[in-house]
Amino acid sequence: MNTQRWDTLIIGSGLAGLSCGLELAERGQRVHILEAAPYPGGRTSNWADTGMEVESGFHKYIGFYQALPDLLRRAGIKLNKMLTWEKTFEIRLPDGETTGEYGIAPLKSPIKTVSGAFGNSDILSAVDKASLMPFVAEGLRLLAEDPMELDTYSVAEFARKHGVKDGALDNILTPLTSGVLFLPPDRYSALVFFGLFAPGLPRFYKLQLGAFNGGMTDVMIAPIVAKLESLGSRVSLNSPVSALSVKEGRVTGVSLADGSTLDADHVVLATEVSAAKHLLQPAFDGEQWLRPLQELPTMPDVTIQLELSKPLLPQDRATFGPGTCIGSFSEQSRTTFRGVPGRVSMILTPPEEFIEMPDELIFERVCEDADKLGLGLRAAATDYRVIRRPDHFYAVQPGSERLRPEQRTPVPGLSLAGDYTRQPMYATMEGAVLSGRKAAEAVLGRELD
């Protein structure tokens, strides 16, 4: 049996694991990252699926992120090369004709930003817009003063408590919950809702969305891996971990599925939440520190990704479809997937409805709802894939916040990373990077500069 020793082993090569690894490698640690899949990136990955390029999920980069762009800069990645910045997003109602364009780039597109906020009366009346003001004001106040109180409400409950009109709830709040993190507003924590958008307020001038100019593994993850390897770290693909090695209450390494073992001074568990539970359960079941994590609910996510004979829409930008199963989507043939005439990724909501539905029925349902949005999807579709994951995300529902674990555990030699761990950006790419940095601090026993 082969045994090797490292300073730190990291299980998982998503942004959390890579962020942690780079922090440690830059400080001289010997780091080995283990990835079960044949490609790196975790939930920020792309790969070929029997002749069609697919991505792990539909992602957009938010301009007010801070930790992620710092990580990318240190890996030698230039944002303006990696991304195409979008100046607007669109909402399409299921009457086949009503659409609204909203500016999201105050510096680059101030007129569209202002006109989008004050116009689009078919989407949102003046009364609807006014009804959002007390909801937003009270939400931001509670976020600052009593966030756990805010986590007792769903977005829908909090909206109705503060007089938000049905039009605003259906046409603005529903797209922003279902189209971003899968859940409808009656199941989405008000804390997560305000917590995700509040960091952008002081940096409002940075607000914009970025579409990736290529698959995320290709344009974002691979350069980070290359930087790690240049620092002497190793990233091993096709290396599933079967168990943690524990001796006298301390984690000392891991066992791999092929029967080999790796030893380390520290192990960072940087998988998604369900895999973390699976690895921790055998060694620490019944221990008080693990119980909240065991109780932390998970949620599925389902996307359908389609190749088309022509572009579905004239722009590659985020679009929302309230009142349909299509939470959000984007044409991608001019940005992420340039090798085909048309290419669309769609987030489906509610995800539980689709997680076990046959692919062909999902396709039919999506085409029906696309018709309601005025999109000729069926006639243009030439191929499609459904990407489904039953429990890769923690559920951003009311009450989950108190169950999220810290990165530092009471077990010597063990730390956690992943967007489900305690950090202020929740289930986002930014949150994953923040968690990796905090996990590196736990490994080193000190805060990073």
PDB file of all heavy atoms in Angstrom, residues 13 48 52 77 93 105 127 151 188 203 272 307 313 325-327 369 417-418:
ATOM      1  N   SER A  13     -11.686  20.232  -5.732  1.00  0.00           N
ATOM      2  CA  SER A  13     -10.974  21.257  -6.511  1.00  0.00           C
ATOM      3  C   SER A  13     -11.911  22.329  -7.039  1.00  0.00           C
ATOM      4  O   SER A  13     -11.652  22.929  -8.079  1.00  0.00           O
ATOM      5  CB  SER A  13     -10.243  20.604  -7.698  1.00  0.00           C
ATOM      6  OG  SER A  13     -11.174  20.148  -8.670  1.00  0.00           O
ATOM      7  N   ALA A  48     -17.007  17.885 -21.864  1.00  0.00           N
ATOM      8  CA  ALA A  48     -17.690  17.368 -23.054  1.00  0.00           C
ATOM      9  C   ALA A  48     -18.544  16.174 -22.652  1.00  0.00           C
ATOM     10  O   ALA A  48     -18.049  15.235 -22.025  1.00  0.00           O
ATOM     11  CB  ALA A  48     -16.683  16.963 -24.116  1.00  0.00           C
ATOM     12  N   MET A  52     -21.240  17.067 -26.809  1.00  0.00           N
ATOM     13  CA  MET A  52     -21.776  18.402 -26.538  1.00  0.00           C
ATOM     14  C   MET A  52     -21.060  19.008 -25.343  1.00  0.00           C
ATOM     15  O   MET A  52     -20.903  18.364 -24.302  1.00  0.00           O
ATOM     16  CB  MET A  52     -23.280  18.332 -26.260  1.00  0.00           C
ATOM     17  CG  MET A  52     -23.905  19.679 -25.950  1.00  0.00           C
ATOM     18  SD  MET A  52     -25.715  19.570 -25.795  1.00  0.00           S
ATOM     19  CE  MET A  52     -26.062  21.178 -25.053  1.00  0.00           C
ATOM     20  N   ILE A  77      -5.060  35.886 -14.091  1.00  0.00           N
ATOM     21  CA  ILE A  77      -6.235  35.970 -14.953  1.00  0.00           C
ATOM     22  C   ILE A  77      -6.711  37.414 -15.034  1.00  0.00           C
ATOM     23  O   ILE A  77      -6.881  38.081 -14.008  1.00  0.00           O
ATOM     24  CB  ILE A  77      -7.375  35.084 -14.402  1.00  0.00           C
ATOM     25  CG1 ILE A  77      -6.921  33.628 -14.325  1.00  0.00           C
ATOM     26  CG2 ILE A  77      -8.629  35.213 -15.265  1.00  0.00           C
ATOM     27  CD1 ILE A  77      -7.878  32.723 -13.580  1.00  0.00           C
ATOM     28  N   LEU A  93     -42.445  38.199 -19.431  1.00  0.00           N
ATOM     29  CA  LEU A  93     -43.644  37.656 -18.806  1.00  0.00           C
ATOM     30  C   LEU A  93     -44.280  36.589 -19.690  1.00  0.00           C
ATOM     31  O   LEU A  93     -44.125  36.618 -20.919  1.00  0.00           O
ATOM     32  CB  LEU A  93     -44.650  38.775 -18.525  1.00  0.00           C
ATOM     33  CG  LEU A  93     -44.184  39.873 -17.558  1.00  0.00           C
ATOM     34  CD1 LEU A  93     -45.346  40.802 -17.215  1.00  0.00           C
ATOM     35  CD2 LEU A  93     -43.579  39.292 -16.293  1.00  0.00           C
ATOM     36  N   ALA A 105     -25.478  48.425 -15.029  1.00  0.00           N
ATOM     37  CA  ALA A 105     -24.115  48.953 -15.099  1.00  0.00           C
ATOM     38  C   ALA A 105     -24.167  50.467 -14.942  1.00  0.00           C
ATOM     39  O   ALA A 105     -24.165  51.208 -15.932  1.00  0.00           O
ATOM     40  CB  ALA A 105     -23.454  48.555 -16.415  1.00  0.00           C
ATOM     41  N   VAL A 127     -47.072  51.844  -8.420  1.00  0.00           N
ATOM     42  CA  VAL A 127     -47.511  51.381  -7.094  1.00  0.00           C
ATOM     43  C   VAL A 127     -46.701  50.167  -6.659  1.00  0.00           C
ATOM     44  O   VAL A 127     -46.298  50.061  -5.486  1.00  0.00           O
ATOM     45  CB  VAL A 127     -49.019  51.049  -7.122  1.00  0.00           C
ATOM     46  CG1 VAL A 127     -49.459  50.407  -5.808  1.00  0.00           C
ATOM     47  CG2 VAL A 127     -49.826  52.309  -7.393  1.00  0.00           C
ATOM     48  N   ASP A 151     -33.681  35.801   9.346  1.00  0.00           N
ATOM     49  CA  ASP A 151     -33.653  34.431   8.857  1.00  0.00           C
ATOM     50  C   ASP A 151     -34.874  33.619   9.298  1.00  0.00           C
ATOM     51  O   ASP A 151     -35.028  32.471   8.898  1.00  0.00           O
ATOM     52  CB  ASP A 151     -32.378  33.717   9.329  1.00  0.00           C
ATOM     53  CG  ASP A 151     -32.098  32.432   8.572  1.00  0.00           C
ATOM     54  OD1 ASP A 151     -32.263  32.427   7.337  1.00  0.00           O
ATOM     55  OD2 ASP A 151     -31.715  31.432   9.211  1.00  0.00           O
ATOM     56  N   TYR A 188     -37.408  30.887   0.363  1.00  0.00           N
ATOM     57  CA  TYR A 188     -36.081  31.510   0.265  1.00  0.00           C
ATOM     58  C   TYR A 188     -35.900  32.457   1.447  1.00  0.00           C
ATOM     59  O   TYR A 188     -36.714  33.348   1.675  1.00  0.00           O
ATOM     60  CB  TYR A 188     -36.014  32.258  -1.053  1.00  0.00           C
ATOM     61  CG  TYR A 188     -34.670  32.736  -1.535  1.00  0.00           C
ATOM     62  CD1 TYR A 188     -34.080  32.158  -2.648  1.00  0.00           C
ATOM     63  CD2 TYR A 188     -34.001  33.780  -0.922  1.00  0.00           C
ATOM     64  CE1 TYR A 188     -32.874  32.617  -3.148  1.00  0.00           C
ATOM     65  CE2 TYR A 188     -32.794  34.252  -1.404  1.00  0.00           C
ATOM     66  CZ  TYR A 188     -32.228  33.669  -2.520  1.00  0.00           C
ATOM     67  OH  TYR A 188     -31.033  34.130  -3.005  1.00  0.00           O
ATOM     68  N   ARG A 203     -20.660  49.488  -3.117  1.00  0.00           N
ATOM     69  CA  ARG A 203     -19.897  49.427  -4.359  1.00  0.00           C
ATOM     70  C   ARG A 203     -20.857  49.406  -5.550  1.00  0.00           C
ATOM     71  O   ARG A 203     -20.654  48.688  -6.531  1.00  0.00           O
ATOM     72  CB  ARG A 203     -19.000  48.181  -4.355  1.00  0.00           C
ATOM     73  CG  ARG A 203     -18.140  48.058  -3.111  1.00  0.00           C
ATOM     74  CD  ARG A 203     -17.263  46.823  -3.124  1.00  0.00           C
ATOM     75  NE  ARG A 203     -16.121  47.018  -3.989  1.00  0.00           N
ATOM     76  CZ  ARG A 203     -15.752  46.177  -4.938  1.00  0.00           C
ATOM     77  NH1 ARG A 203     -16.461  45.098  -5.177  1.00  0.00           N
ATOM     78  NH2 ARG A 203     -14.680  46.416  -5.677  1.00  0.00           N
ATOM     79  N   GLU A 272     -18.682  19.640  -1.869  1.00  0.00           N
ATOM     80  CA  GLU A 272     -20.018  20.173  -1.637  1.00  0.00           C
ATOM     81  C   GLU A 272     -20.588  19.515  -0.384  1.00  0.00           C
ATOM     82  O   GLU A 272     -20.047  18.534   0.129  1.00  0.00           O
ATOM     83  CB  GLU A 272     -20.918  19.989  -2.862  1.00  0.00           C
ATOM     84  CG  GLU A 272     -20.740  18.712  -3.617  1.00  0.00           C
ATOM     85  CD  GLU A 272     -21.386  17.523  -2.934  1.00  0.00           C
ATOM     86  OE1 GLU A 272     -22.296  17.733  -2.115  1.00  0.00           O
ATOM     87  OE2 GLU A 272     -20.988  16.397  -3.230  1.00  0.00           O
ATOM     88  N   GLU A 307     -28.288  23.208 -27.534  1.00  0.00           N
ATOM     89  CA  GLU A 307     -27.680  23.741 -28.747  1.00  0.00           C
ATOM     90  C   GLU A 307     -28.790  24.025 -29.742  1.00  0.00           C
ATOM     91  O   GLU A 307     -29.759  23.261 -29.860  1.00  0.00           O
ATOM     92  CB  GLU A 307     -26.675  22.753 -29.333  1.00  0.00           C
ATOM     93  CG  GLU A 307     -25.405  22.633 -28.504  1.00  0.00           C
ATOM     94  CD  GLU A 307     -24.361  21.747 -29.169  1.00  0.00           C
ATOM     95  OE1 GLU A 307     -24.675  21.135 -30.214  1.00  0.00           O
ATOM     96  OE2 GLU A 307     -23.231  21.676 -28.642  1.00  0.00           O
ATOM     97  N   LEU A 313     -31.808  34.545 -28.784  1.00  0.00           N
ATOM     98  CA  LEU A 313     -32.032  35.960 -28.512  1.00  0.00           C
ATOM     99  C   LEU A 313     -30.917  36.783 -29.134  1.00  0.00           C
ATOM    100  O   LEU A 313     -29.807  36.278 -29.358  1.00  0.00           O
ATOM    101  CB  LEU A 313     -32.097  36.208 -27.005  1.00  0.00           C
ATOM    102  CG  LEU A 313     -33.341  35.639 -26.283  1.00  0.00           C
ATOM    103  CD1 LEU A 313     -33.174  35.740 -24.778  1.00  0.00           C
ATOM    104  CD2 LEU A 313     -34.598  36.360 -26.739  1.00  0.00           C
ATOM    105  N   CYS A 325     -41.441  27.639 -15.600  1.00  0.00           N
ATOM    106  CA  CYS A 325     -40.433  26.794 -14.949  1.00  0.00           C
ATOM    107  C   CYS A 325     -39.016  27.278 -15.228  1.00  0.00           C
ATOM    108  O   CYS A 325     -38.055  26.733 -14.675  1.00  0.00           O
ATOM    109  CB  CYS A 325     -40.584  25.341 -15.397  1.00  0.00           C
ATOM    110  SG  CYS A 325     -40.094  25.032 -17.116  1.00  0.00           S
ATOM    111  N   ILE A 326     -38.869  28.290 -16.088  1.00  0.00           N
ATOM    112  CA  ILE A 326     -37.547  28.796 -16.473  1.00  0.00           C
ATOM    113  C   ILE A 326     -37.201  29.967 -15.552  1.00  0.00           C
ATOM    114  O   ILE A 326     -37.625  31.103 -15.764  1.00  0.00           O
ATOM    115  CB  ILE A 326     -37.536  29.230 -17.950  1.00  0.00           C
ATOM    116  CG1 ILE A 326     -37.980  28.068 -18.837  1.00  0.00           C
ATOM    117  CG2 ILE A 326     -36.147  29.709 -18.347  1.00  0.00           C
ATOM    118  CD1 ILE A 326     -38.235  28.461 -20.287  1.00  0.00           C
ATOM    119  N   GLY A 327     -36.437  29.664 -14.495  1.00  0.00           N
ATOM    120  CA  GLY A 327     -36.103  30.707 -13.538  1.00  0.00           C
ATOM    121  C   GLY A 327     -35.261  31.802 -14.157  1.00  0.00           C
ATOM    122  O   GLY A 327     -35.546  32.988 -14.023  1.00  0.00           O
ATOM    123  N   ASP A 369     -43.098  26.213 -21.867  1.00  0.00           N
ATOM    124  CA  ASP A 369     -42.971  27.479 -21.141  1.00  0.00           C
ATOM    125  C   ASP A 369     -42.177  28.501 -21.944  1.00  0.00           C
ATOM    126  O   ASP A 369     -42.417  29.715 -21.814  1.00  0.00           O
ATOM    127  CB  ASP A 369     -42.327  27.242 -19.774  1.00  0.00           C
ATOM    128  CG  ASP A 369     -43.340  26.752 -18.744  1.00  0.00           C
ATOM    129  OD1 ASP A 369     -44.478  26.438 -19.138  1.00  0.00           O
ATOM    130  OD2 ASP A 369     -43.006  26.699 -17.543  1.00  0.00           O
ATOM    131  N   ALA A 417     -14.200  23.698   4.152  1.00  0.00           N
ATOM    132  CA  ALA A 417     -14.333  24.803   3.201  1.00  0.00           C
ATOM    133  C   ALA A 417     -15.508  24.480   2.295  1.00  0.00           C
ATOM    134  O   ALA A 417     -15.868  23.328   2.103  1.00  0.00           O
ATOM    135  CB  ALA A 417     -13.059  25.003   2.383  1.00  0.00           C
ATOM    136  N   GLY A 418     -16.087  25.504   1.726  1.00  0.00           N
ATOM    137  CA  GLY A 418     -17.257  25.344   0.871  1.00  0.00           C
ATOM    138  C   GLY A 418     -18.232  26.454   1.174  1.00  0.00           C
ATOM    139  O   GLY A 418     -18.275  26.981   2.296  1.00  0.00           O
TER     140      GLY A 418
END
